[in-house]
Amino acid sequence: MFFLWPDVLWVLVVLALLPAAYVWLLGRRSRAALQYSSLSVVRGAAGQAWRRHLPPALFLLALAGLVFAAARPVARVPLPWMRSSIILAIDVSLSMRVSDVKPTRLAAAQEAAKSFLRELPKNIEVGLVTFAGSSQVAQRMTLDREVLIASIDGFQMQMGTAIGNAIVLCLAELFPEQGIELDDLDTPSTRYGRSLDKKEKKAVKEFTPVPPGSYGSAAIILLSDGRRTTGVDTLEAAKMAADRGVRIYVVGLGTADGDVATPDGLAIYMQLDETTLREVARMTGGEYQHAGTAETLRTVYQNLGTRVQVLTRETELSGVVTLISAVLAIAAGMLSFMWFGRAG
């Protein structure tokens, strides 16, 4: 914990003098109590001494709390539902039709994604990006779960696997003001020419890199069953996400060694590049999980749904401390009125 305005804490030195003043006042009242004609009255008052001391003690704690709040304390605390948006980036390459994950990899991924959406809190926006040889925004970020489910049911498979492109496209959706565009990156499809129909590029907003995983308003969940075959280098794209503090949770789906008999000779595209995918998660402060079955995939999504909903971050506690102090002050006043018929 630290304080944004630590100099305010010097006021606590003044508050520390108040108990001494209180004890001095009690001494004066004790001398006055000797004038009672009945010793039983004095003893009765002594028996209720804790009542006399409790309201002032609560009020002193309230004052100390207000000074503490004025110093603006900041601490790292777990806060639920801090992420306002999540983007699901799902591989729709042809290898997703393989049935080593029943009924097929794609069907299992669709069902798991829909289950994830049903369990996710309604106040978190979700976007959907699909990728194979190219990447598309299947659904922009929305709170409408039915629209998202309809987009998931409408997946169309393609050739190729451009994992890096998918990450860059997710970042473009999360940071539209930064002018991130795939065409501006040095990829085989763009380095030799530029379409005459291409619109003028938006001015790129300068940004200062932040620590990996420090962006608390969004996360990316990336699912792939293969390795990059085209597009932006995967780790280059991961570096872009890490510089913006966006965590990427990676799910590797299917057979890790690619040992699946297929009539189309697609085994090479089914080999999970786990080394790279794990590095993507590590670089961005996320996690990597392998899902070899439909049940495992559902479990992974359920666990991710829990993890991305709670974020530990530095949060100012002034409001909470002020509220507690106000409750203590009100309690002190109410007890004083109840027991003594006065506020102090």
Side-chain angles (χ1 to χ4, degrees), residues 192-250:
Y192 298 114
R194 179 180 183 274
S195 171
L196 295 177
D197 296 327
K198 178 176 169 57
K199 296 180 180 180
E200 289 299 320
K201 179 182 178 300
K202 298 178 182 178
V204 178
K205 181 179 178 180
E206 294 293 332
F207 80 99
T208 302
V210 298
S214 61
Y215 184 66
S217 298
I220 298 171
I221 298 179
L222 172 72
L223 182 145
S224 179
D225 72 336
R227 61 183 61 235
R228 181 182 74 91
T229 61
T230 186
V232 179
D233 181 77
T234 304
L235 295 184
E236 179 185 341
K239 178 65 164 55
M240 293 176 62
D243 286 344
R244 290 163 174 79
V246 178
R247 295 175 186 264
I248 302 179
Y249 297 86
V250 185

Side-chain angles (χ1 to χ4, degrees), residues 7-341:
D7 291 343
V8 177
L9 295 176
W10 285 105
V11 179
L12 292 176
V13 176
V14 178
L15 290 183
L17 300 177
L18 293 181
Y22 179 71
V23 171
W24 178 76
L25 288 175
L26 287 179
R28 292 189 59 185
R29 291 183 179 181
S30 296
R31 288 191 294 272
L34 294 177
Q35 300 175 6
Y36 282 110
S37 59
S38 174
L39 184 59
S40 61
V41 175
V42 178
R43 288 175 177 173
Q48 301 296 323
W50 66 272
R51 288 191 176 186
R52 182 173 57 178
H53 301 322
L54 183 57
L58 291 177
F59 190 70
L60 181 62
L61 286 176
L63 290 178
L66 290 175
V67 174
F68 194 75
R72 302 182 63 185
V74 177
R76 293 186 63 83
V77 295
L79 299 175
W81 325 128
M82 287 304 297
R83 297 190 188 279
S84 60
S85 55
I86 295 172
I87 296 186
L88 294 174
I90 299 180
D91 191 337
V92 293
S93 57
L94 290 179
S95 57
M96 290 287 285
R97 65 188 179 183
V98 175
S99 60
D100 59 338
V101 177
K102 302 299 182 182
T104 65
R105 294 178 178 180
L106 182 61
Q110 289 172 310
E111 186 57 37
K114 288 187 285 188
S115 177
F116 173 79
L117 291 176
R118 285 191 290 267
E119 296 179 7
L120 201 66
K122 302 300 183 183
N123 62 329
I124 296 182
E125 286 190 324
V126 180
L128 186 62
V129 167
T130 59
F131 65 95
S134 59
S135 302
Q136 299 83 30
V137 177
Q139 176 58 53
R140 296 194 180 279
M141 286 180 288
T142 178
L143 296 174
D144 192 332
R145 301 297 191 249
E146 295 302 320
V147 170
L148 288 163
I149 290 174
S151 297
I152 290 172
D153 288 334
F155 284 168
Q156 298 293 324
M157 290 185 286
Q158 306 170 21
M159 290 284 292
T161 306
I163 300 175
N165 286 26
I167 295 174
V168 173
L169 190 57
C170 290
L171 294 175
E173 286 296 296
L174 293 175
F175 304 99
E177 75 284 356
Q178 292 186 8
I180 302 172
E181 295 185 13
L182 277 171
D183 290 344
D184 297 320
L185 301 177
D186 186 25
T187 65
S189 61
T190 61
R191 69 172 62 133
Y192 298 114
R194 179 180 183 274
S195 171
L196 295 177
D197 296 327
K198 178 176 169 57
K199 296 180 180 180
E200 289 299 320
K201 179 182 178 300
K202 298 178 182 178
V204 178
K205 181 179 178 180
E206 294 293 332
F207 80 99
T208 302
V210 298
S214 61
Y215 184 66
S217 298
I220 298 171
I221 298 179
L222 172 72
L223 182 145
S224 179
D225 72 336
R227 61 183 61 235
R228 181 182 74 91
T229 61
T230 186
V232 179
D233 181 77
T234 304
L235 295 184
E236 179 185 341
K239 178 65 164 55
M240 293 176 62
D243 286 344
R244 290 163 174 79
V246 178
R247 295 175 186 264
I248 302 179
Y249 297 86
V250 185
V251 181
L253 178 64
T255 307
D257 58 9
D259 186 18
V260 178
T262 62
D264 299 323
L266 295 174
I268 184 63
Y269 300 112
M270 300 174 198
Q271 294 177 358
L272 274 175
D273 185 2
E274 287 197 305
T275 301
T276 300
L277 295 179
R278 288 181 184 276
E279 182 64 11
V280 169
R282 188 201 65 79
M283 289 175 60
T284 61
E287 297 178 9
Y288 173 80
Q289 299 284 341
H290 176 252
T293 66
E295 183 59 35
T296 305
L297 180 59
R298 284 193 292 271
T299 302
V300 168
Y301 264 108
Q302 289 171 356
N303 292 338
L304 289 177
T306 301
R307 284 183 172 85
V308 300
Q309 293 167 27
V310 178
L311 177 69
T312 300
R313 66 184 303 175
E314 291 183 350
T315 304
E316 185 173 341
L317 304 178
S318 297
V320 175
V321 177
T322 300
L323 178 61
I324 294 174
S325 300
V327 171
L328 290 174
I330 293 173
M334 292 180 63
L335 291 176
S336 184
F337 271 114
M338 289 172 56
W339 291 339
F340 312 115

